Amino acid sequence: MNADDALAALRAQADPARAAEMAAYHKAEREYLGLSNAVTGELATAWRKDAADQATLVSLAEGLWASDVFEARVAAGKLFLQARMRPDDLLAWRWIESVVPQFDSWAIADAVAQGGQKRVMQVPERLDVLEQWTASDHMWTRRAAFVFALPFCKSRHPNEVEQAARVRVFRWAERLAEDHEWFIQKAIAWWIRDLSKRDPEAVQGWLDVNGARLKPFARKEAARHLR
């Protein structure tokens, strides 16, 4: 599957009426086809399974991304959802890292983050890269640091690596608590809320010290699952 064929497959299922609604909602100036997440996900899964190797998958992602079609960029992000890529996932990670500075839409950013989360979990040392992102002038890059780190919230019994990651992301949240970009506040609240389901004591402790520095809506969202 090359990018031209993949784009043709996406266009074959276009819904012009829904595309117009999506363009009005997302606002970014690009072509929209009006496809659901289910459709882009199914196609991306099929392309991923058919790819001969990681280099082929990255080449397809590059072509889809370059088209700047909304659904093509979403599908490109969904090409790297394997929990582990062998012998390593370096090519995939390099592509993901290269497109983060181009994020301009939460939906595209979150599609890429799905694969990015897997790549960070495969190589936790990539938290070093995410930490660099928290200092970026690009709002979407700062946001990506928290979204890519969400899997570290999942375990009720975190191992040493996961626990260290949580402490580290808490530090990022503390540093950016007064970053009043709505999407940054939302990302911090999202990460803390997810962690509260497994470690409410740690979240309550963090909010006791830093909660007042968040916007009220973010503080409320972060504490949603706390008693």
Side-chain angles (χ1 to χ4, degrees), residues 10-203:
L10 291 166
R11 292 186 190 283
Q13 302 191 57
D15 180 340
R18 191 164 187 268
E21 294 174 358
M22 291 173 66
Y25 174 75
H26 289 290
K27 296 183 174 63
E29 290 291 333
R30 58 170 47 94
E31 182 181 357
Y32 296 81
L33 301 178
L35 305 186
S36 68
N37 274 324
V39 170
T40 56
E42 289 168 6
L43 288 170
T45 297
W47 299 335
R48 183 170 69 247
K49 290 179 178 178
D50 288 343
D53 53 30
Q54 191 175 152
T56 302
L57 209 57
V58 169
S59 178
L60 176 57
E62 289 173 342
L64 288 169
W65 190 269
S67 74
D68 200 24
V69 175
F70 175 81
E71 287 82 357
R73 287 197 163 190
V74 168
K78 293 180 177 181
L79 291 174
F80 304 103
L81 297 183
Q82 302 95 313
R84 298 195 70 81
M85 303 179 77
R86 303 184 188 282
D88 59 50
D89 63 353
L90 186 57
L91 292 177
W93 174 248
R94 284 175 175 169
W95 179 80
I96 291 169
E97 194 176 1
S98 76
V99 299
V100 169
Q102 301 175 51
F103 287 172
D104 59 3
S105 156
W106 67 264
I108 292 173
D110 288 359
V112 176
Q114 291 178 41
Q117 291 166 359
K118 304 291 188 182
R119 309 285 59 85
V120 173
M121 293 303 288
Q122 181 165 350
V123 183
E125 291 79 6
R126 287 172 179 153
L127 283 167
D128 292 345
V129 176
L130 272 56
E131 182 155 344
Q132 293 173 13
W133 291 353
T134 65
S136 173
D137 292 335
H138 182 233
M139 182 273 290
W140 294 104
T141 299
R142 298 198 302 280
R143 176 184 182 271
F146 293 96
V147 181
F148 277 50
L150 281 168
F152 292 103
C153 298
K154 290 184 177 180
S155 177
R156 290 192 181 277
H157 304 287
N159 59 31
E160 185 176 341
V161 171
E162 292 166 333
Q163 187 59 44
R166 292 177 181 185
V167 171
R168 193 170 190 179
V169 180
F170 267 140
R171 289 203 302 266
W172 305 347
E174 181 178 352
R175 191 164 67 248
L176 294 181
E178 293 176 5
D179 183 329
H180 288 167
E181 288 278 3
W182 188 90
F183 277 107
I184 300 300
Q185 292 282 310
K186 184 72 172 177
I188 292 172
W190 182 4
W191 191 88
I192 292 174
R193 181 199 67 206
D194 273 18
L195 182 59
S196 73
K197 299 173 187 176
R198 282 87 185 182
D199 193 348
E201 293 82 6
V203 166

Side-chain angles (χ1 to χ4, degrees), residues 180 185 189 211-223:
H180 288 167
Q185 292 282 310
R213 299 171 57 227
L214 295 171
K215 288 283 192 180
F217 84 87
R219 184 166 64 249
K220 181 178 179 180
E221 179 70 12

